[in-house]
mmCIF file of all heavy atoms in Angstrom:
data_model
loop_
_atom_site.group_PDB
_atom_site.id
_atom_site.type_symbol
_atom_site.label_atom_id
_atom_site.label_comp_id
_atom_site.label_asym_id
_atom_site.label_seq_id
_atom_site.Cartn_x
_atom_site.Cartn_y
_atom_site.Cartn_z
ATOM 1 N N ASN A 79 96.902 -56.186 80.738
ATOM 2 C CA ASN A 79 95.750 -55.298 80.926
ATOM 3 C C ASN A 79 95.287 -55.367 82.380
ATOM 4 O O ASN A 79 94.909 -56.434 82.863
ATOM 5 C CB ASN A 79 94.616 -55.723 79.997
ATOM 6 C CG ASN A 79 93.365 -54.921 80.225
ATOM 7 O OD1 ASN A 79 93.423 -53.723 80.485
ATOM 8 N ND2 ASN A 79 92.218 -55.570 80.152
ATOM 9 N N THR A 80 95.313 -54.209 83.067
ATOM 10 C CA THR A 80 94.793 -54.116 84.435
ATOM 11 C C THR A 80 93.620 -53.135 84.501
ATOM 12 O O THR A 80 93.201 -52.753 85.585
ATOM 13 C CB THR A 80 95.883 -53.658 85.416
ATOM 14 O OG1 THR A 80 96.303 -52.341 85.062
ATOM 15 C CG2 THR A 80 97.059 -54.623 85.432
ATOM 16 N N ASP A 81 93.136 -52.692 83.354
ATOM 17 C CA ASP A 81 92.049 -51.715 83.236
ATOM 18 C C ASP A 81 92.445 -50.310 83.670
ATOM 19 O O ASP A 81 91.577 -49.455 83.865
ATOM 20 C CB ASP A 81 90.784 -52.158 83.996
ATOM 21 C CG ASP A 81 90.120 -53.354 83.341
ATOM 22 O OD1 ASP A 81 90.203 -53.467 82.095
ATOM 23 O OD2 ASP A 81 89.533 -54.187 84.058
ATOM 24 N N VAL A 82 93.759 -50.068 83.844
ATOM 25 C CA VAL A 82 94.264 -48.725 84.141
ATOM 26 C C VAL A 82 95.433 -48.480 83.186
ATOM 27 O O VAL A 82 96.512 -49.054 83.364
ATOM 28 C CB VAL A 82 94.714 -48.581 85.611
ATOM 29 C CG1 VAL A 82 95.285 -47.193 85.870
ATOM 30 C CG2 VAL A 82 93.557 -48.881 86.553
ATOM 31 N N GLU A 83 95.207 -47.655 82.166
ATOM 32 C CA GLU A 83 96.201 -47.477 81.108
ATOM 33 C C GLU A 83 97.555 -47.012 81.636
ATOM 34 O O GLU A 83 98.597 -47.521 81.220
ATOM 35 C CB GLU A 83 95.681 -46.487 80.060
ATOM 36 C CG GLU A 83 96.595 -46.367 78.860
ATOM 37 C CD GLU A 83 96.036 -45.447 77.778
ATOM 38 O OE1 GLU A 83 94.904 -44.956 77.914
ATOM 39 O OE2 GLU A 83 96.765 -45.236 76.800
ATOM 40 N N ALA A 84 97.570 -46.061 82.581
ATOM 41 C CA ALA A 84 98.844 -45.563 83.118
ATOM 42 C C ALA A 84 99.604 -46.698 83.820
ATOM 43 O O ALA A 84 100.822 -46.829 83.672
ATOM 44 C CB ALA A 84 98.597 -44.398 84.076
ATOM 45 N N ARG A 85 98.901 -47.527 84.582
ATOM 46 C CA ARG A 85 99.549 -48.663 85.261
ATOM 47 C C ARG A 85 100.046 -49.674 84.235
ATOM 48 O O ARG A 85 101.167 -50.180 84.346
ATOM 49 C CB ARG A 85 98.583 -49.319 86.242
ATOM 50 C CG ARG A 85 99.207 -50.514 86.945
ATOM 51 C CD ARG A 85 98.357 -51.096 88.063
ATOM 52 N NE ARG A 85 96.976 -51.286 87.678
ATOM 53 C CZ ARG A 85 95.947 -51.061 88.491
ATOM 54 N NH1 ARG A 85 96.136 -50.614 89.709
ATOM 55 N NH2 ARG A 85 94.717 -51.286 88.071
ATOM 56 N N ASP A 86 99.234 -49.957 83.214
ATOM 57 C CA ASP A 86 99.662 -50.903 82.174
ATOM 58 C C ASP A 86 100.942 -50.421 81.497
ATOM 59 O O ASP A 86 101.869 -51.201 81.271
ATOM 60 C CB ASP A 86 98.557 -51.101 81.135
ATOM 61 C CG ASP A 86 97.317 -51.766 81.719
ATOM 62 O OD1 ASP A 86 97.401 -52.324 82.838
ATOM 63 O OD2 ASP A 86 96.264 -51.710 81.060
ATOM 64 N N ASN A 87 101.006 -49.130 81.182
ATOM 65 C CA ASN A 87 102.206 -48.567 80.549
ATOM 66 C C ASN A 87 103.409 -48.679 81.483
ATOM 67 O O ASN A 87 104.521 -48.966 81.032
ATOM 68 C CB ASN A 87 101.970 -47.128 80.130
ATOM 69 C CG ASN A 87 101.020 -47.027 78.955
ATOM 70 O OD1 ASN A 87 100.885 -47.971 78.165
ATOM 71 N ND2 ASN A 87 100.325 -45.914 78.842
ATOM 72 N N HIS A 88 103.202 -48.458 82.786
ATOM 73 C CA HIS A 88 104.292 -48.599 83.747
ATOM 74 C C HIS A 88 104.751 -50.060 83.825
ATOM 75 O O HIS A 88 105.953 -50.342 83.908
ATOM 76 C CB HIS A 88 103.866 -48.084 85.122
ATOM 77 C CG HIS A 88 105.005 -47.940 86.080
ATOM 78 N ND1 HIS A 88 104.830 -47.911 87.435
ATOM 79 C CD2 HIS A 88 106.347 -47.826 85.896
ATOM 80 C CE1 HIS A 88 105.994 -47.784 88.043
ATOM 81 N NE2 HIS A 88 106.937 -47.739 87.122
ATOM 82 N N LEU A 89 103.808 -51.014 83.803
ATOM 83 C CA LEU A 89 104.176 -52.429 83.832
ATOM 84 C C LEU A 89 104.978 -52.840 82.595
ATOM 85 O O LEU A 89 105.804 -53.754 82.667
ATOM 86 C CB LEU A 89 102.918 -53.299 83.956
ATOM 87 C CG LEU A 89 102.212 -53.234 85.312
ATOM 88 C CD1 LEU A 89 100.861 -53.939 85.241
ATOM 89 C CD2 LEU A 89 103.076 -53.830 86.409
ATOM 90 N N LYS A 90 104.762 -52.169 81.486
ATOM 91 C CA LYS A 90 105.500 -52.466 80.244
ATOM 92 C C LYS A 90 106.895 -51.846 80.245
ATOM 93 O O LYS A 90 107.736 -52.213 79.431
ATOM 94 C CB LYS A 90 104.714 -51.953 79.039
ATOM 95 C CG LYS A 90 103.391 -52.673 78.834
ATOM 96 C CD LYS A 90 102.587 -52.016 77.717
ATOM 97 C CE LYS A 90 101.175 -52.554 77.671
ATOM 98 N NZ LYS A 90 100.375 -51.923 76.604
ATOM 99 N N SER A 91 107.154 -50.927 81.162
ATOM 100 C CA SER A 91 108.421 -50.179 81.202
ATOM 101 C C SER A 91 109.556 -51.037 81.765
ATOM 102 O O SER A 91 109.325 -52.112 82.315
ATOM 103 C CB SER A 91 108.245 -48.919 82.060
ATOM 104 O OG SER A 91 108.288 -49.266 83.445
ATOM 105 N N PRO A 92 110.797 -50.526 81.682
ATOM 106 C CA PRO A 92 111.947 -51.243 82.272
ATOM 107 C C PRO A 92 111.817 -51.466 83.779
ATOM 108 O O PRO A 92 112.456 -52.370 84.319
ATOM 109 C CB PRO A 92 113.135 -50.330 81.949
ATOM 110 C CG PRO A 92 112.730 -49.630 80.690
ATOM 111 C CD PRO A 92 111.246 -49.380 80.861
ATOM 112 N N ASP A 93 110.980 -50.697 84.482
ATOM 113 C CA ASP A 93 110.772 -50.930 85.917
ATOM 114 C C ASP A 93 110.178 -52.311 86.189
ATOM 115 O O ASP A 93 110.394 -52.879 87.263
ATOM 116 C CB ASP A 93 109.808 -49.892 86.507
ATOM 117 C CG ASP A 93 110.417 -48.517 86.641
ATOM 118 O OD1 ASP A 93 111.649 -48.396 86.539
ATOM 119 O OD2 ASP A 93 109.638 -47.560 86.848
ATOM 120 N N PHE A 94 109.404 -52.834 85.242
ATOM 121 C CA PHE A 94 108.737 -54.118 85.427
ATOM 122 C C PHE A 94 109.129 -55.089 84.310
ATOM 123 O O PHE A 94 110.157 -55.731 84.378
ATOM 124 C CB PHE A 94 107.219 -53.928 85.517
ATOM 125 C CG PHE A 94 106.783 -53.276 86.810
ATOM 126 C CD1 PHE A 94 106.655 -51.903 86.896
ATOM 127 C CD2 PHE A 94 106.511 -54.051 87.931
ATOM 128 C CE1 PHE A 94 106.266 -51.307 88.082
ATOM 129 C CE2 PHE A 94 106.121 -53.456 89.130
ATOM 130 C CZ PHE A 94 106.002 -52.076 89.207
ATOM 131 N N PHE A 95 108.325 -55.205 83.249
ATOM 132 C CA PHE A 95 108.545 -56.227 82.216
ATOM 133 C C PHE A 95 109.529 -55.835 81.117
ATOM 134 O O PHE A 95 110.066 -56.704 80.451
ATOM 135 C CB PHE A 95 107.214 -56.633 81.566
ATOM 136 C CG PHE A 95 106.374 -57.526 82.429
ATOM 137 C CD1 PHE A 95 105.278 -57.029 83.110
ATOM 138 C CD2 PHE A 95 106.678 -58.870 82.556
ATOM 139 C CE1 PHE A 95 104.495 -57.856 83.902
ATOM 140 C CE2 PHE A 95 105.901 -59.712 83.345
ATOM 141 C CZ PHE A 95 104.807 -59.193 84.026
ATOM 142 N N ASP A 96 109.730 -54.560 80.882
ATOM 143 C CA ASP A 96 110.644 -54.085 79.831
ATOM 144 C C ASP A 96 110.312 -54.749 78.487
ATOM 145 O O ASP A 96 111.124 -55.431 77.872
ATOM 146 C CB ASP A 96 112.098 -54.360 80.218
ATOM 147 C CG ASP A 96 113.083 -53.524 79.415
ATOM 148 O OD1 ASP A 96 112.660 -52.733 78.546
ATOM 149 O OD2 ASP A 96 114.296 -53.666 79.658
ATOM 150 N N VAL A 97 109.079 -54.511 78.010
ATOM 151 C CA VAL A 97 108.577 -55.202 76.825
ATOM 152 C C VAL A 97 109.352 -54.880 75.549
ATOM 153 O O VAL A 97 109.330 -55.675 74.611
ATOM 154 C CB VAL A 97 107.065 -54.962 76.595
ATOM 155 C CG1 VAL A 97 106.256 -55.498 77.756
ATOM 156 C CG2 VAL A 97 106.756 -53.508 76.348
ATOM 157 N N THR A 98 110.048 -53.763 75.527
ATOM 158 C CA THR A 98 110.854 -53.445 74.336
ATOM 159 C C THR A 98 111.962 -54.475 74.158
ATOM 160 O O THR A 98 112.211 -54.948 73.052
ATOM 161 C CB THR A 98 111.439 -52.022 74.436
ATOM 162 O OG1 THR A 98 110.365 -51.109 74.610
ATOM 163 C CG2 THR A 98 112.222 -51.661 73.188
ATOM 164 N N LYS A 99 112.607 -54.862 75.257
ATOM 165 C CA LYS A 99 113.681 -55.858 75.204
ATOM 166 C C LYS A 99 113.162 -57.285 75.325
ATOM 167 O O LYS A 99 113.752 -58.215 74.786
ATOM 168 C CB LYS A 99 114.691 -55.615 76.336
ATOM 169 C CG LYS A 99 115.572 -54.424 76.147
ATOM 170 C CD LYS A 99 116.587 -54.373 77.278
ATOM 171 C CE LYS A 99 117.414 -53.112 77.207
ATOM 172 N NZ LYS A 99 118.297 -52.980 78.376
ATOM 173 N N PHE A 100 112.083 -57.467 76.091
ATOM 174 C CA PHE A 100 111.575 -58.816 76.398
ATOM 175 C C PHE A 100 110.070 -58.886 76.120
ATOM 176 O O PHE A 100 109.259 -58.867 77.045
ATOM 177 C CB PHE A 100 111.854 -59.160 77.865
ATOM 178 C CG PHE A 100 113.295 -59.040 78.252
ATOM 179 C CD1 PHE A 100 113.741 -57.922 78.950
ATOM 180 C CD2 PHE A 100 114.203 -60.024 77.909
ATOM 181 C CE1 PHE A 100 115.070 -57.796 79.305
ATOM 182 C CE2 PHE A 100 115.536 -59.911 78.264
ATOM 183 C CZ PHE A 100 115.980 -58.788 78.964
ATOM 184 N N PRO A 101 109.694 -58.968 74.850
ATOM 185 C CA PRO A 101 108.268 -58.898 74.504
ATOM 186 C C PRO A 101 107.463 -60.162 74.808
ATOM 187 O O PRO A 101 106.237 -60.122 74.791
ATOM 188 C CB PRO A 101 108.291 -58.645 72.995
ATOM 189 C CG PRO A 101 109.580 -59.253 72.542
ATOM 190 C CD PRO A 101 110.547 -59.047 73.672
ATOM 191 N N LYS A 102 108.137 -61.268 75.128
ATOM 192 C CA LYS A 102 107.416 -62.526 75.273
ATOM 193 C C LYS A 102 107.791 -63.234 76.579
ATOM 194 O O LYS A 102 108.944 -63.235 76.995
ATOM 195 C CB LYS A 102 107.730 -63.439 74.087
ATOM 196 C CG LYS A 102 106.744 -64.533 73.862
ATOM 197 C CD LYS A 102 106.951 -65.174 72.493
ATOM 198 C CE LYS A 102 105.837 -66.139 72.198
ATOM 199 N NZ LYS A 102 105.977 -66.765 70.920
ATOM 200 N N MET A 103 106.800 -63.839 77.189
ATOM 201 C CA MET A 103 106.964 -64.705 78.350
ATOM 202 C C MET A 103 106.630 -66.111 77.850
ATOM 203 O O MET A 103 105.632 -66.290 77.137
ATOM 204 C CB MET A 103 105.982 -64.239 79.439
ATOM 205 C CG MET A 103 105.905 -65.062 80.657
ATOM 206 S SD MET A 103 104.940 -64.290 82.008
ATOM 207 C CE MET A 103 103.450 -63.732 81.231
ATOM 208 N N THR A 104 107.449 -67.117 78.196
ATOM 209 C CA THR A 104 107.222 -68.466 77.667
ATOM 210 C C THR A 104 107.197 -69.511 78.782
ATOM 211 O O THR A 104 107.725 -69.292 79.870
ATOM 212 C CB THR A 104 108.296 -68.871 76.642
ATOM 213 O OG1 THR A 104 109.574 -68.886 77.289
ATOM 214 C CG2 THR A 104 108.312 -67.925 75.449
ATOM 215 N N PHE A 105 106.589 -70.647 78.472
ATOM 216 C CA PHE A 105 106.549 -71.791 79.370
ATOM 217 C C PHE A 105 106.712 -73.057 78.543
ATOM 218 O O PHE A 105 106.075 -73.214 77.500
ATOM 219 C CB PHE A 105 105.216 -71.843 80.137
ATOM 220 C CG PHE A 105 105.069 -73.092 80.960
ATOM 221 C CD1 PHE A 105 105.630 -73.170 82.217
ATOM 222 C CD2 PHE A 105 104.387 -74.196 80.460
ATOM 223 C CE1 PHE A 105 105.521 -74.333 82.975
ATOM 224 C CE2 PHE A 105 104.271 -75.361 81.208
ATOM 225 C CZ PHE A 105 104.837 -75.430 82.466
ATOM 226 N N GLU A 106 107.560 -73.969 79.024
ATOM 227 C CA GLU A 106 107.738 -75.301 78.424
ATOM 228 C C GLU A 106 107.647 -76.333 79.535
ATOM 229 O O GLU A 106 108.384 -76.261 80.523
ATOM 230 C CB GLU A 106 109.101 -75.418 77.732
ATOM 231 C CG GLU A 106 109.273 -74.555 76.508
ATOM 232 C CD GLU A 106 108.444 -75.011 75.321
ATOM 233 O OE1 GLU A 106 108.151 -76.218 75.220
ATOM 234 O OE2 GLU A 106 108.092 -74.148 74.502
ATOM 235 N N SER A 107 106.749 -77.296 79.394
ATOM 236 C CA SER A 107 106.568 -78.299 80.445
ATOM 237 C C SER A 107 107.735 -79.271 80.496
ATOM 238 O O SER A 107 108.389 -79.542 79.487
ATOM 239 C CB SER A 107 105.265 -79.062 80.230
ATOM 240 O OG SER A 107 105.352 -79.886 79.077
ATOM 241 N N THR A 108 107.973 -79.786 81.704
ATOM 242 C CA THR A 108 108.942 -80.865 81.901
ATOM 243 C C THR A 108 108.252 -82.125 82.415
ATOM 244 O O THR A 108 108.777 -83.223 82.269
ATOM 245 C CB THR A 108 110.060 -80.451 82.876
ATOM 246 O OG1 THR A 108 109.481 -80.015 84.108
ATOM 247 C CG2 THR A 108 110.909 -79.323 82.279
ATOM 248 N N SER A 109 107.065 -81.968 83.044
ATOM 249 C CA SER A 109 106.287 -83.139 83.466
ATOM 250 C C SER A 109 104.826 -82.757 83.652
ATOM 251 O O SER A 109 104.499 -81.601 83.938
ATOM 252 C CB SER A 109 106.842 -83.730 84.768
ATOM 253 O OG SER A 109 106.644 -82.850 85.853
ATOM 254 N N PHE A 110 103.974 -83.751 83.463
ATOM 255 C CA PHE A 110 102.527 -83.594 83.635
ATOM 256 C C PHE A 110 102.066 -84.858 84.338
ATOM 257 O O PHE A 110 101.832 -85.888 83.716
ATOM 258 C CB PHE A 110 101.871 -83.423 82.258
ATOM 259 C CG PHE A 110 100.473 -82.854 82.302
ATOM 260 C CD1 PHE A 110 100.206 -81.652 82.925
ATOM 261 C CD2 PHE A 110 99.425 -83.517 81.688
ATOM 262 C CE1 PHE A 110 98.923 -81.113 82.948
ATOM 263 C CE2 PHE A 110 98.136 -82.997 81.695
ATOM 264 C CZ PHE A 110 97.892 -81.786 82.335
ATOM 265 N N ILE A 111 101.971 -84.783 85.673
ATOM 266 C CA ILE A 111 101.746 -85.969 86.496
ATOM 267 C C ILE A 111 100.286 -86.046 86.921
ATOM 268 O O ILE A 111 99.745 -85.095 87.485
ATOM 269 C CB ILE A 111 102.666 -85.935 87.735
ATOM 270 C CG1 ILE A 111 104.128 -85.904 87.279
ATOM 271 C CG2 ILE A 111 102.394 -87.123 88.646
ATOM 272 C CD1 ILE A 111 105.105 -85.561 88.367
ATOM 273 N N LYS A 112 99.678 -87.193 86.656
ATOM 274 C CA LYS A 112 98.268 -87.407 86.994
ATOM 275 C C LYS A 112 98.142 -87.666 88.495
ATOM 276 O O LYS A 112 98.878 -88.457 89.063
ATOM 277 C CB LYS A 112 97.723 -88.585 86.188
ATOM 278 C CG LYS A 112 96.226 -88.736 86.267
ATOM 279 C CD LYS A 112 95.757 -89.674 85.176
ATOM 280 C CE LYS A 112 94.284 -89.937 85.198
ATOM 281 N NZ LYS A 112 93.451 -88.791 85.040
ATOM 282 N N LYS A 113 97.212 -86.939 89.132
ATOM 283 C CA LYS A 113 96.898 -87.125 90.553
ATOM 284 C C LYS A 113 95.386 -87.228 90.659
ATOM 285 O O LYS A 113 94.707 -86.211 90.617
ATOM 286 C CB LYS A 113 97.417 -85.966 91.386
ATOM 287 C CG LYS A 113 98.948 -85.884 91.374
ATOM 288 C CD LYS A 113 99.476 -85.027 92.471
ATOM 289 C CE LYS A 113 99.330 -85.761 93.754
ATOM 290 N NZ LYS A 113 100.374 -85.676 94.706
ATOM 291 N N GLY A 114 94.873 -88.460 90.743
ATOM 292 C CA GLY A 114 93.429 -88.663 90.700
ATOM 293 C C GLY A 114 92.927 -88.320 89.314
ATOM 294 O O GLY A 114 93.456 -88.799 88.323
#
Side-chain angles (χ1 to χ4, degrees):
N79 175 38
T80 63
D81 291 328
V82 178
E83 186 176 356
R85 179 172 47 218
D86 295 345
N87 289 335
H88 192 201
L89 290 170
K90 295 174 190 179
S91 78
D93 287 346
F94 289 91
F95 284 103
D96 198 359
V97 298
T98 303
K99 287 185 186 174
F100 305 101
K102 200 167 188 180
M103 175 170 48
T104 62
F105 174 83
E106 293 290 332
S107 69
T108 55
S109 68
F110 197 56
I111 300 167
K112 191 165 178 60
K113 295 196 73 140

